Amino acid sequence: KTADFIESQVATKSRILIAVGHLGVNAGAEITALAELINAPIVTRLDAKGVVDESHPLCIGVAGVHGSPGVAATRDMIESADCIFSIGVEDQMLGQFVVTGGVQNRGLIYVMPDTSTVTGQFNAGAMMIGTVEDSLRMLTEELKSRGAA
């Protein structure tokens, strides 16, 4: 289902932004591979800074703390996104990516190691629960086999 949702976002030329939180810190290589495949920029929360190579052209930088969207480039990227691919970002921190003016206004894809921090307060188009690295690796391989990107 996640691969289907991503393909539909890519097909409609939706701007997908990958947001990385501390629950995705062991998946840097897998995050980068997926970002390259679907040509999606990456922002990290402060608690995930350095997970992906910050000199990589798709790495935009760190999102702000305490709900602030951070530097202008990061803020602009978040505000222009149609869909957030959340990797290890807990729900209490996810609002800065998917909510504007108190309303969820972006599509959402979750990849989380377990359901303990998924509150259900956001509407997700797709969700993968399990080891983050394995989930991303399987998703990337599925998208490649479909000829994605």
Side-chain angles (χ1 to χ4, degrees):
K1 178 179 175 185
T2 304
D4 293 339
F5 187 76
I6 290 173
E7 281 187 326
S8 73
Q9 295 295 302
V10 170
T12 59
K13 303 212 183 306
S14 294
R15 174 176 245 155
I16 300 172
L17 174 69
I18 296 175
V20 183
H22 76 97
L23 297 175
V25 296
N26 295 319
E30 292 82 4
I31 293 165
T32 302
L34 177 65
E36 290 172 346
L37 181 64
I38 63 173
N39 195 33
I42 304 165
V43 297
T44 62
R45 293 218 9 97
L46 186 59
D47 57 12
K49 181 174 173 37
V51 169
V52 295
D53 179 356
E54 294 181 9
S55 67
H56 191 286
L58 288 173
C59 186
I60 305 306
V62 176
V65 295
H66 309 298
S68 168
V71 299
T74 306
R75 181 184 62 243
D76 293 348
M77 195 60 64
I78 293 169
E79 290 176 358
S80 68
D82 299 309
C83 180
I84 301 298
F85 194 121
S86 172
I87 301 171
V89 179
E90 295 178 290
D91 272 10
Q92 70 267 26
M93 302 299 169
L94 194 55
Q96 80 179 101
F97 295 109
V98 297
V99 173
T100 302
V103 177
Q104 180 178 342
N105 61 343
R106 292 177 186 85
L108 175 63
I109 302 166
Y110 272 112
V111 175
M112 296 293 279
D114 57 56
T115 59
S116 66
T117 61
V118 178
T119 64
Q121 82 183 78
F122 300 108
N123 181 28
M127 182 181 295
M128 296 180 78
I129 303 295
T131 305
V132 174
E133 303 93 293
D134 292 339
S135 296
L136 293 175
R137 203 174 301 116
M138 288 175 16
L139 176 60
T140 300
E141 289 305 315
E142 174 67 19
L143 290 169
K144 283 181 181 176
S145 74
R146 296 177 179 202

